[in-house]
């Protein structure tokens, strides 16, 4: 596999052979990755292509998207990636995305809803109503429009996987500080988990994946005080317990897609996926053991309802 570098994208070479995945793990599959031109989504897109899938990258960022298409095609020495400039909040963009994906690859088997504007993460009292609307437009509305564009054809063929890059915070604990962000993510998670019930038994499998701590930081661009606290061995950041490289996140996503039937109707942390696949991490201590147990559909619904101690008696 060709080693491709990029001045625009923050990437390192990808080779997942050591994980047990193979170059044809996802052969014949076609995937759409929204927000696939940076960080977590870019890791997913590169890993899926490495594992043999054709990948359609849908992202608002045209410069990064075009570069993503170039990098993935060169890495895999073929015409395996298509970038479609897409704003997931616009119906006409989703329609165009679907038209281009079907025209290029004939079908879509995998939909990864991952796009998000991470700046929409203020507190309720300090944010505008427009920010809340924008967050919901990308999260809940964008996910629902993409689902409606791609899932009916999956059901017709009796084959498909739908997933969502969710967060473990479905309302905002004090240490996170992004109420607008978590409100939108919770809404989209609800859409996805409800979809799992709607499509049960159709051959389409639906789950959420939490890419907690996935990302690569350009340390040179960090503020001075954060640079001093950066620990290169652990890749640990203040407020993060670990940073999992996007290629590892991508490997975890491929593994989860291969086990989508098992995961249907549940949510999984990326650290769980990496541990399940015995991901031989360069720094094993950077994979945080997950103490949260995997919840089933009903437990997740109940967890949403559980908001605190309730009445004193
Ligand atoms: N990185 C983490 O630790 C973490 C943890 C939990 C959940 N997540 C979720 O994972 C996803 C990716 O996170 P990230 O850290 O890679 O974010 P990021 O900001 O690096 O990437 C988001 C991508 O989405 C694109 N995007 C933004 N608005 C869009 C729109 N309207 N239409 C299409 N594309 C749009 C951006 O251009 C960007 O390429 C997000 O949904 C995020 O909520 C990330």
């Amino acid at each position: 596999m060709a080693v491709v570098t990029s001045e625009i994208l923050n990437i390192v070479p990808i080779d997942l052979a050591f994980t047990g995945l193979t170059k044809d793990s996802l052969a014949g599959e076609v995937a759409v990755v929204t927000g696939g031109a940076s960080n977590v989504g870019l890791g997913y897109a590169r890993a899926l292509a490495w594992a043999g899938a054709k990948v359609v990258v849908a992202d608002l960022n045209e410069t990064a998207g075009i570069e993503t298409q170039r990098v993935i095609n060169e890495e895999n020495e073929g015409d395996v990636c298509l970038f479609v400039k897409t704003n997931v909040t616009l119906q006409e963009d989703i329609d165009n995305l679907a038209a281009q994906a079907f025209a290029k690859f004939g079908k879509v088997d995998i939909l990864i809803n991952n796009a998000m504007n991470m700046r929409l993460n203020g507190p309720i009292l300090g944010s505008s109503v427009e920010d809340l609307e924008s967050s919901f437009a990308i999260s809940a509305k964008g996910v629902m429009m993409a689902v409606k564009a791609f899932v009916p054809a999956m059901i017709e063929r009796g084959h498909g996987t739908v997933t969502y890059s969710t967060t473990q915070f479905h309302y905002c604990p004090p240490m996170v500080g992004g109420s607008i962000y978590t409100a939108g993510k919770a809404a989209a998670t609800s859409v996805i988990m409800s979809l799992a019930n709607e499509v049960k038994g159709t051959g389409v499998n639906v789950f959420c994946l939490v890419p907690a701590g996935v990302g690569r930081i350009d340390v040179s661009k960090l503020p001075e005080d954060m640079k001093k606290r950066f620990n290169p061995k652990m890749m640990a950041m203040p407020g993060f317990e670990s940073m999992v490289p996007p290629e590892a996140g991508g490997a975890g996503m491929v593994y989860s897609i291969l086990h989508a039937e098992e995961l249907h109707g549940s949510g999984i942390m990326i650290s769980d996926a990496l541990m399940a696949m015995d991901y031989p991490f360069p720094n094993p201590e950077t994979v945080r053991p997950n103490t949260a147990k995997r919840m089933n559909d009903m437990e997740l619904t109940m967890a949403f309802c559980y908001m605190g101690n309730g009445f004193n008696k």
Side-chain angles (χ1 to χ4, degrees), residues 272-294:
D272 275 345
L274 293 176
M275 275 186 283
M277 68 192 294
D278 290 327
Y279 190 92
F281 216 80
N283 295 322
E285 65 270 46
T286 59
V287 180
R288 176 169 51 95
N290 182 25
T291 47
K293 86 176 176 68
R294 181 181 148 187

Side-chain angles (χ1 to χ4, degrees), residues 221-239:
K221 291 188 182 147
L222 287 175
E224 283 309 315
D225 62 324
M226 287 181 98
K227 240 185 245 178
K228 279 188 210 129
R229 284 182 285 163
F230 185 77
N231 174 347
K233 180 165 177 268
M234 291 289 286
M235 296 277 296
M237 293 299 300

Side-chain angles (χ1 to χ4, degrees), residues 33-44 57-62 64-65 68 84-90 93-94 113-120 134 137-139 142 164-169 181 185 209-216 240 242-244 246 270:
V33 185
T34 73
S38 84
N39 210 26
V40 174
L42 177 59
Y44 292 162
V57 169
D59 202 293
L60 202 49
N61 184 336
E62 193 164 24
T68 298
V84 182
K85 186 180 180 192
T86 309
N87 181 343
V88 295
T89 71
L90 302 177
D93 278 23
I94 294 287
N113 294 286
N114 170 78
M116 187 57 206
N117 180 345
M118 302 298 275
R119 284 190 299 278
L120 296 169
S134 301
I138 300 174
S139 296
Y164 175 56
S165 286
T166 190
T167 168
Q168 63 275 49
F169 304 114
Y181 172 79
K185 301 300 285 184
L209 189 142
V210 180
V214 176
R216 175 166 294 110
F240 288 87
S242 66
M243 286 303 279
V244 179
I270 188 67

Side-chain angles (χ1 to χ4, degrees), residues 186-207:
T189 303
S190 177
V191 166
I192 286 289
M193 300 307 285
S194 303
L195 177 72
N197 285 334
E198 288 186 24
V199 302
K200 201 170 181 176
T202 63
V204 178
N205 295 307
V206 183
F207 64 91

Side-chain angles (χ1 to χ4, degrees), residues 2-14 36-43 46 64 67-68 70-72 74-75 216-218 245-247:
V3 173
V4 181
T5 55
S6 170
E7 284 186 12
I8 296 171
L9 306 175
N10 190 9
I11 57 170
V12 299
I14 185 167
S38 84
N39 210 26
V40 174
L42 177 59
R46 291 176 74 213
E67 180 72 343
T68 298
R70 177 192 75 80
V71 163
I72 292 179
E74 280 185 28
E75 277 176 343
R216 175 166 294 110
I217 284 178
D218 184 345
E247 302 74 37

